[in-house]
Amino acid sequence: METTELSVNGTTHKLKADSRVTLLDALRNHLGLTGTKKGCDHGQCGACTVIVEGRRINSCLTLACMHDGDDITTIEGLGEPGNLSALQSAFVAHDGFQCGYCTPGQICSATAMIEEAKAGWPSFVSGDLDGPEGLSNEEISERMSGNLCRCAAYPNIVNAIRQVAGEES
């Protein structure tokens, strides 16, 4: 058993678990934060996306012990009923979810993605290496391509992201 200290949504947790426990399983099974979803468990769907030290990652592909001392944000840390984050509110306003299973991962990914774009990080479709001038539908689709929605709510998800990013939708 390893002892790992995780700062999740501003609260420090000392986790005593097998060193083979994934961050996803630590969050869900050890800390009771079930907002992060287990989808494919192979890093292909993005349902388990969380934000670690400001960067989005698939929590099913990393071990909890690798994040000792890291700041982790899950969907529970972005907002709560009655006090939703801007993206959570935009997903509701634009009907950016249907079954809702991928929604926590989509919102965590979009939250970090908007910050990446503001910092000038280019994507594969950016016109130059200084980053995009705005978040076009093509930029958002490329940057969110690691998050799959089986209900195909993509146009509504893009509209929600564009609204929060300050782009017209």
Side-chain angles (χ1 to χ4, degrees):
M1 293 288 190
E2 297 280 327
T3 300
T4 303
E5 191 172 289
L6 303 174
S7 176
V8 183
N9 303 327
T11 302
T12 300
H13 301 271
K14 288 195 183 222
L15 173 70
K16 195 167 190 133
D18 188 294
S19 59
R20 296 170 292 180
V21 170
T22 66
L23 180 59
L24 172 62
D25 287 338
L27 294 169
R28 290 183 57 83
N29 302 334
H30 294 266
L31 303 180
L33 296 169
T34 57
T36 305
K37 301 300 183 214
K38 182 179 272 193
C40 66
D41 214 18
H42 292 87
Q44 297 172 340
C45 73
C48 66
T49 303
V50 296
I51 304 168
V52 176
E53 298 292 326
R55 299 180 121 187
R56 52 193 165 146
I57 66 167
N58 292 333
S59 61
C60 73
L61 294 180
T62 189
L63 300 174
C65 64
M66 295 169 64
H67 298 286
D68 189 46
D70 284 353
D71 287 320
I72 300 163
T73 303
T74 67
I75 191 69
E76 292 94 342
L78 294 177
E80 55 191 41
N83 188 25
L84 299 177
S85 73
L87 265 170
Q88 290 169 322
S89 294
F91 267 63
V92 171
H94 290 276
D95 196 20
F97 56 91
Q98 289 180 15
C99 80
Y101 196 81
C102 71
T103 306
Q106 296 272 2
I107 291 174
C108 282
S109 188
T111 298
M113 182 271 294
I114 289 171
E115 295 305 314
E116 292 166 7
K118 283 181 186 172
W121 294 9
S123 77
F124 181 73
V125 299
S126 296
D128 63 51
L129 294 179
D130 291 329
E133 292 193 19
L135 284 173
S136 66
N137 288 352
E138 185 180 22
E139 277 283 347
I140 293 170
S141 294
E142 170 61 21
R143 290 171 184 270
M144 294 294 292
S145 63
N147 292 81
L148 302 179
C149 172
R150 293 177 197 266
C151 302
Y154 294 115
N156 300 348
I157 291 170
V158 169
N159 288 338
I161 293 170
R162 286 179 63 102
Q163 176 189 324
V164 173
E167 306 289 332
E168 292 180 25
S169 61

